[in-house]
Amino acid sequence: MRFSDIGERSLIFRITGLLGGLEHDDCAVIELDGDCLVVTTDMLHRETDFPAQATPWQIGWMSAAVNLSDIAAMGAEPLGILIASGIPPETDVEIIDEIFRGIRDCVRAYGTEVLGGDTDAHRELTICGTALGRVSRERILRRRGARPGDLLCTTGSLGGAGAGLKALDIGRFDLARRLLEPRPRVREGIALARTGAVTAMMDNSDGLALSLHDLADAGGTGFMVEYWRIPLADEVREIAESDEEALEMVLSAGGDFELLFTVREDMIDDARKACELSVIGRAVEDGVWLERDGRRIPISRRGYEHGSRDVRSAPG
Amino acid sequence: MRFSDIGERSLIFRITGLLGGLEHDDCAVIELDGDCLVVTTDMLHRETDFPAQATPWQIGWMSAAVNLSDIAAMGAEPLGILIASGIPPETDVEIIDEIFRGIRDCVRAYGTEVLGGDTDAHRELTICGTALGRVSRERILRRRGARPGDLLCTTGSLGGAGAGLKALDIGRFDLARRLLEPRPRVREGIALARTGAVTAMMDNSDGLALSLHDLADAGGTGFMVEYWRIPLADEVREIAESDEEALEMVLSAGGDFELLFTVREDMIDDARKACELSVIGRAVEDGVWLERDGRRIPISRRGYEHGSRDVRSAPG
């Protein structure tokens, strides 16, 4: 049996079992005195993780941003990142400079820094970032914790990255910036954690559908999303050609890097004071549903599953 | 100008300048309250970093061990590691299990654990480990700190990994275990840090010659190694065919993962109580020298420079 036969998620399940079980959150958590240290790592490859049209600067920016988004999803303040990079030997050093300028500009934009790393030669450009953050033990936000009745919320708008993928396909590069230069919700994550109103949180980097299922699995609840409440990204309104296509951009495409979280209903005003947010539904007993035209439609566990896309597209 | 034109070390110098300057230690350091958090990341590739004969279990062990060695080199206690892995889709899942068993067995042998990670598909097996550790601010050991007159010391014996490389070439697999299953000096690093006797430390993972130059550059000193004091590994005595070959195994081959450190002369007994060590020379004003047959021979900055080996062997 091969990796490609079982896919990424089954493999991760298998490995975590072998390692003695790990909690599935956006970051690993180490308890240190009164604080929690949170750590995340993401390995990105040129062909499978970065759109072909991404500039070197954008490749750098994305590499830092995806890791900072995981820190944000725990409600933590970033402490810094490390960058291990495998770079093809024929790469022009000016291009390498641009990649690292993108990394630097992203970490500075979020008030943090590159702490160190590792660089060697590799056939395909591969950037593995590790981000660290800190949050107090009482404030840390995990994927588990939602209770039926809690309000389901998102920061920002949804579908912008999915719209960006289509924009690149049709040459509308002006609409792809959201995809190529994601803005992790670091400030919002910290502010939300401080309210004490949030019961569970993650980022929606794999698309809304998969993220809802992950949040449901972690908390032992379900979710009902109300169609009319979904804050569609401007890019979606601009480029989608139907309701259905717009919904697909929201549910299935990865890369929005918004925070998806649940809030105690009696404390929603506190959460609203922390940052701009949209209530898009509620936690329910079980199932992941979309309410639309008075009907409950199940939302399947589809979307941007990193491994399976890679498995299909990788050679061999 | 291409990466291959300038090599790994020049590229790192360029990148660290662009990022605003970084101290060159085995780990990045984050000061947290009274403690220092230390973090290191290493990206390893199947073709350039693991001998072809390494078993999947050994690949896993090595991936964890190289990172734990960097934690040890700071005098820190490991808090855990994260493993990001890019795995070819055609890989048999039993082989993947074995890799992760090797990782698990290594971290458990050093009293720590795998905290999390990331897994996706990639053309060439790539394992990027990140290790975290903790050490008090007064005890942390860095590469800078040696003063002329300090005793230069090593844990264990030297050249075993270099001998292992030759052993693999000639089919003496019994002599390659030190290369394939390195033992990071975690306990020794912690114990040495506690003595207060050590003035500078790093691991010798790139070979003794390059490590001495790195330690000299960091501290603004030089070193004199006394030939007759070098504790040759048993594998070197077994397999080297001349003095010169034995010395090359010590100086130029990477992979021993011993600790190389300096000790205040008046406190050498304290260091000896912490762990078994060999004094191999002294810190001097400048230059990196070998004293042999009454002569001072300069030791050049050669040895296992990761990038340049990769750059030469990588395709393209």
Side-chain angles (χ1 to χ4, degrees):
Chain A
M1 199 167 54
R2 295 167 176 215
F3 178 18
S4 52
D5 298 327
I6 68 171
E8 186 202 49
R9 289 193 166 229
S10 300
L11 181 68
I12 289 174
F13 187 77
R14 196 176 164 113
I15 292 171
T16 54
L18 194 150
L19 295 173
L22 294 172
E23 186 147 1
H24 292 281
D25 272 305
D26 292 63
C27 290
V29 180
I30 300 171
E31 299 201 355
L32 284 182
D33 314 320
D35 274 355
C36 290
L37 182 72
V38 299
V39 199
T40 181
T41 187
D42 265 300
M43 190 189 284
L44 303 178
H45 308 290
R46 182 67 191 91
E47 289 171 26
T48 42
D49 292 291
F50 301 107
Q53 299 90 339
T55 65
W57 186 91
Q58 287 170 332
I59 286 174
W61 179 282
M62 287 177 77
S63 301
V66 300
N67 283 290
L68 292 177
S69 181
D70 285 330
I71 298 295
M74 309 297 288
E77 175 197 359
L79 293 171
I81 73 171
L82 285 85
I83 297 287
S85 52
I87 301 174
E90 70 276 14
T91 310
D92 195 292
V93 292
E94 305 282 345
I95 288 180
I96 303 173
D97 286 352
E98 269 298 286
I99 293 172
F100 279 88
R101 271 188 211 111
I103 292 169
R104 179 197 64 189
D105 292 348
C106 182
V107 296
R108 286 191 183 163
Y110 294 95
T112 188
E113 59 184 324
V114 178
L115 300 168
D118 179 34
T119 301
D120 64 12
H122 187 50
R123 207 181 299 181
E124 180 184 351
L125 177 67
T126 299
I127 301 180
C128 187
T130 298
L132 296 101
R134 178 157 70 158
V135 55
S136 77
R137 201 176 295 193
E138 305 81 50
R139 292 290 174 240
I140 191 169
L141 296 175
R142 295 178 177 264
R143 292 186 182 181
R144 65 174 151 78
R147 282 157 307 182
D150 286 350
L151 297 174
L152 177 67
C153 305
T154 183
T155 54
S157 61
L158 300 176
L165 281 172
K166 181 175 180 186
L168 290 180
D169 277 348
I170 63 174
R172 288 289 306 273
F173 300 116
D174 56 312
L175 296 177
R177 203 157 156 206
R178 171 92 178 258
L179 172 72
L180 299 173
E181 298 172 26
R183 306 279 154 169
R185 297 292 188 175
V186 174
R187 198 179 47 74
E188 293 83 350
I190 296 169
L192 286 167
R194 285 195 183 136
T195 63
V198 177
T199 53
M201 189 154 79
M202 67 182 293
D203 77 2
N204 72 350
S205 53
D206 293 336
L208 186 61
L210 209 51
S211 301
L212 286 168
H213 278 278
D214 284 342
L215 211 55
D217 290 348
T221 60
F223 292 103
M224 170 70 75
V225 175
E226 293 159 328
Y227 177 71
W228 64 95
R229 293 194 195 273
I230 295 173
L232 280 187
D234 292 344
E235 295 89 342
V236 177
R237 299 184 206 278
E238 180 90 7
I239 209 168
E241 290 170 71
S242 67
D243 267 23
E244 292 311 313
E245 189 181 6
L247 193 58
E248 273 307 297
M249 288 171 176
V250 169
L251 290 174
S252 301
D256 276 342
F257 295 100
E258 296 293 351
L259 297 175
L260 181 68
F261 56 100
T262 52
V263 177
R264 288 175 48 176
E265 188 166 17
D266 61 336
M267 293 183 78
I268 187 67
D269 289 341
D270 299 290
R272 284 191 193 280
K273 277 177 214 153
C275 70
E276 279 188 51
L277 61 86
S278 300
V279 175
I280 60 171
R282 270 182 197 280
V284 296
E285 289 292 341
D286 62 336
V288 177
W289 310 91
L290 181 70
E291 189 175 334
R292 188 179 179 187
D293 303 330
R295 288 183 306 135
R296 280 190 162 208
I297 308 156
I299 297 175
S300 66
R301 190 188 292 274
R302 69 186 179 284
Y304 183 76
E305 188 180 337
H306 190 110
S308 62
R309 194 183 77 154
D310 284 357
V311 169
R312 284 197 302 273
S313 66
Chain B
M1 198 167 53
R2 297 169 173 214
F3 178 18
S4 53
D5 298 328
I6 68 170
E8 187 203 47
R9 289 191 168 229
S10 300
L11 182 67
I12 290 174
F13 186 78
R14 198 177 162 110
I15 292 170
T16 53
L18 194 148
L19 295 174
L22 294 172
E23 187 147 1
H24 292 282
D25 273 305
D26 293 63
C27 291
V29 180
I30 301 171
E31 298 201 355
L32 284 181
D33 313 321
D35 274 354
C36 289
L37 182 71
V38 299
V39 199
T40 180
T41 187
D42 264 301
M43 189 189 285
L44 302 178
H45 308 290
R46 181 67 190 90
E47 289 170 29
T48 42
D49 292 291
F50 301 108
Q53 300 89 340
T55 65
W57 185 91
Q58 286 169 333
I59 286 174
W61 179 283
M62 287 176 78
S63 302
V66 299
N67 283 289
L68 291 177
S69 181
D70 285 329
I71 298 295
M74 309 296 290
E77 175 197 0
L79 293 170
I81 72 172
L82 285 85
I83 297 288
S85 52
I87 302 174
E90 69 276 14
T91 310
D92 196 293
V93 292
E94 306 281 346
I95 288 180
I96 302 173
D97 286 352
E98 270 298 286
I99 293 172
F100 279 88
R101 270 187 211 110
I103 292 169
R104 178 196 65 190
D105 292 348
C106 183
V107 296
R108 285 192 184 161
Y110 294 95
T112 189
E113 60 183 324
V114 178
L115 300 167
D118 179 34
T119 300
D120 64 12
H122 187 49
R123 208 183 296 181
E124 179 183 351
L125 177 67
T126 299
I127 301 180
C128 186
T130 298
L132 296 102
R134 179 157 67 159
V135 56
S136 78
R137 202 176 294 194
E138 303 82 51
R139 292 291 174 238
I140 190 168
L141 295 175
R142 295 177 178 264
R143 293 186 181 180
R144 64 175 152 80
R147 281 158 306 183
D150 286 351
L151 297 173
L152 177 67
C153 306
T154 183
T155 55
S157 61
L158 300 175
L165 281 172
K166 180 175 181 184
L168 290 180
D169 276 348
I170 63 173
R172 288 289 307 274
F173 299 116
D174 56 312
L175 296 178
R177 201 155 158 207
R178 171 91 178 260
L179 173 71
L180 299 173
E181 298 171 28
R183 307 278 153 170
R185 297 292 188 176
V186 174
R187 196 179 47 75
E188 293 83 350
I190 296 168
L192 285 167
R194 285 193 183 138
T195 63
V198 178
T199 52
M201 188 153 78
M202 66 181 296
D203 77 3
N204 73 350
S205 55
D206 293 336
L208 186 62
L210 209 51
S211 301
L212 285 169
H213 278 278
D214 284 342
L215 212 54
D217 290 347
T221 60
F223 292 103
M224 170 69 75
V225 176
E226 294 159 327
Y227 177 72
W228 64 96
R229 295 195 196 272
I230 295 172
L232 281 187
D234 292 343
E235 295 88 341
V236 176
R237 299 184 206 279
E238 180 89 10
I239 208 167
E241 290 169 73
S242 67
D243 268 22
E244 291 312 312
E245 190 180 6
L247 193 57
E248 272 308 297
M249 287 172 177
V250 168
L251 290 174
S252 301
D256 275 342
F257 296 101
E258 296 293 351
L259 296 175
L260 182 68
F261 55 101
T262 52
V263 176
R264 288 175 48 176
E265 187 165 16
D266 61 336
M267 293 183 79
I268 186 68
D269 290 342
D270 299 290
R272 285 193 193 280
K273 277 177 211 151
C275 70
E276 280 188 51
L277 61 86
S278 300
V279 175
I280 61 170
R282 271 183 196 280
V284 296
E285 289 292 339
D286 62 333
V288 177
W289 309 91
L290 181 70
E291 188 175 336
R292 189 179 180 188
D293 303 329
R295 288 184 307 137
R296 279 190 162 208
I297 308 156
I299 296 176
S300 66
R301 189 189 291 273
R302 67 187 180 284
Y304 182 77
E305 188 181 337
H306 190 110
S308 62
R309 194 182 77 155
D310 283 356
V311 170
R312 284 199 301 273
S313 66

